[in-house]
C-alpha cells in the first residue's frame, strides 16, 4: 500500500475522575472518524487506507506505538486523529492527551505527550502528514495554550511540518462543564467533520482539500456558529493550511452530477439488458 493512507485514530477515555470528564465521549468520536474517513480519501478510497483504531483504555505507550508503526509504512499520507482531553505539564510548556486512570497528580506523566506524536509523524515515511484534533482543555491547560513564546504549549499548535485541523474547547470540571461541547458529542469537530463528509459541499468540485471543507465544518460546530468563528466562548479552531495534496470525496458533487442525467428509453434498455439474467431461472 505504498501509495495509500495510514490512518491512526485515538479516542482516549480518561476514566472516572471528574477532572477528566471532558473525555467521556471521546471513544464515540473516534469510532465515527474511523468509520467515515477511510472511504472519503479521493484517490485511494477505503481499499487504499490502512486504519489503526486504538482502544480507548490503552496506555500512552500503546498509543504512541500505534502512531510509530503507522509512520513506518511507506505511503503518501499519514493522518492521526487525537480525540479527548488535553493536559499541560506543571510548567505549562508541553501537552499530553489524558489516558485512562489519570488523576490530577499524574495525568501529564501518564498521558500521551503531544510532542511525541508530532515527532513520530515528522520522521515517518509518508510524503505528507495531517493531525486532526477534537479536544478540550481545563483552565490551567487553556492558560498554557494562550501563552506566546518559543517555550509555550501554544507553540505546539503551529508546527509547520505537521498541519493541524480541528478544535480545542475550554472545559470546566463538574457542573460548570455541562454546557461545554465535549469531543465526540453533537457540535464537536469529529461530529461536524463526518457530517460534512457524508453530505458533501454543494457547488464544490468532486475532490476537495481540507481547507475547502473547513467553512462547512465550522458552520456545524456548537450547533451552527457562522463559518470562521471559534464556536462557544473559549474555543479555538485549528484551520488547515493552503496546499497539500490530500483530497477528500465531495458526495454533493456526485449527487449533483447524477441528478442532471436524463435516462432515455435506449439507456434504460441497455441497463435492463446488462442486469437481466443470461439464463432462465431454474424450476
Amino acid at each position: 500500500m505504498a501509495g495509500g493512507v495510514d490512518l491512526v485514530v485515538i479516542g482516549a477515555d480518561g476514566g472516572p475522575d471528574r477532572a477528566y470528564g471532558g473525555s467521556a465521549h471521546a471513544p464515540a468520536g473516534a469510532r465515527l472518524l474511523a468509520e467515515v474517513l477511510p472511504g472519503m480519501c479521493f484517490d485511494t478510497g477505503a481499499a487504499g487506507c490502512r486504519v489503526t483504531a486504538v482502544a480507548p483504555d490503552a496506555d500512552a505507550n500503546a498509543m504512541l506505538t500505534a502512531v510509530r508503526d503507522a509512520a513506518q509504512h511507506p505511503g503518501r499520507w499519514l493522518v492521526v486523529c487525537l480525540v479527548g482531553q488535553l493536559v499541560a505539564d506543571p510548567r505549562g510548556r508541553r501537552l499530553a492527551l489524558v489516558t485512562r486512570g489519570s488523576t490530577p497528580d499524574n495525568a501529564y506523566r501518564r498521558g500521551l505527550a503531544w510532542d511525541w506524536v508530532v515527532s513520530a509523524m515528522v520522521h515517518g515515511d509518508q510524503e505528507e502528514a495531517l493531525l486532526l484534533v477534537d479536544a478540550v482543555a481545563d483552565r490551567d491547560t487553556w492558560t498554557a495554550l494562550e501563552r506566546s513564546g518559543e517555550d509555550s504549549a501554544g507553540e505546539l499548535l503551529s508546527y509547520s511540518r505537521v498541519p493541524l485541523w480541528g478544535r480545542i474547547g475550554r472545559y470546566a470540571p463538574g457542573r460548570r462543564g455541562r454546557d461545554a461541547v465535549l469531543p465526540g458529542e453533537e457540535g464537536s469537530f469529529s461530529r461536524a467533520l463526518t457530517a460534512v463528509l457524508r453530505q458533501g459541499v454543494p457547488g464544490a468540485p468532486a475532490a476537495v482539500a481540507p481547507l475547502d471543507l473547513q467553512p462547512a465544518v465550522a458552520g456545524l460546530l456548537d450547533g451552527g456558529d457562522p463559518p470562521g468563528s471559534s464556536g462557544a466562548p473559549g474555543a479555538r479552531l485549528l484551520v488547515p493550511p493552503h496546499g497539500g495534496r490530500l483530497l477528500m470525496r465531495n458526495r454533493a458533487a456526485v449527487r449533483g452530477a447524477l441528478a442532471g442525467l436524463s435516462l432515455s428509453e435506449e439507456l434504460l434498455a441497455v441497463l435492463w439488458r446488462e442486469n437481466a439474467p443470461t439464463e432462465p431461472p431454474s424450476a
Side-chain angles (χ1 to χ4, degrees), residues 60 64 68 85-98 107-120 136-138 140-147 149-157 168:
L64 182 60
R68 286 175 171 169
Q85 185 167 341
L86 298 176
V87 63
D89 72 309
R91 302 181 67 181
R93 295 182 176 180
R94 302 176 69 190
L95 294 173
L97 189 70
V98 176
Y108 174 76
R109 293 194 305 275
R110 69 181 298 154
L112 175 63
W114 181 288
D115 51 318
W116 293 353
V117 174
V118 171
S119 177
V136 290
D138 62 19
D140 293 340
T141 304
W142 185 264
T143 300
L145 290 172
E146 292 277 271
R147 295 195 192 106
E150 294 183 0
D151 294 330
S152 67
E155 288 298 303
L156 297 174
L157 304 184
I168 300 176

Side-chain angles (χ1 to χ4, degrees), residues 263-283:
L263 295 180
S264 63
E265 292 184 359
E266 293 82 5
L267 178 56
L268 289 173
V270 170
L271 292 175
W272 183 87
R273 286 196 299 270
E274 288 182 350
N275 290 279
T278 57
E279 298 179 359
S282 59

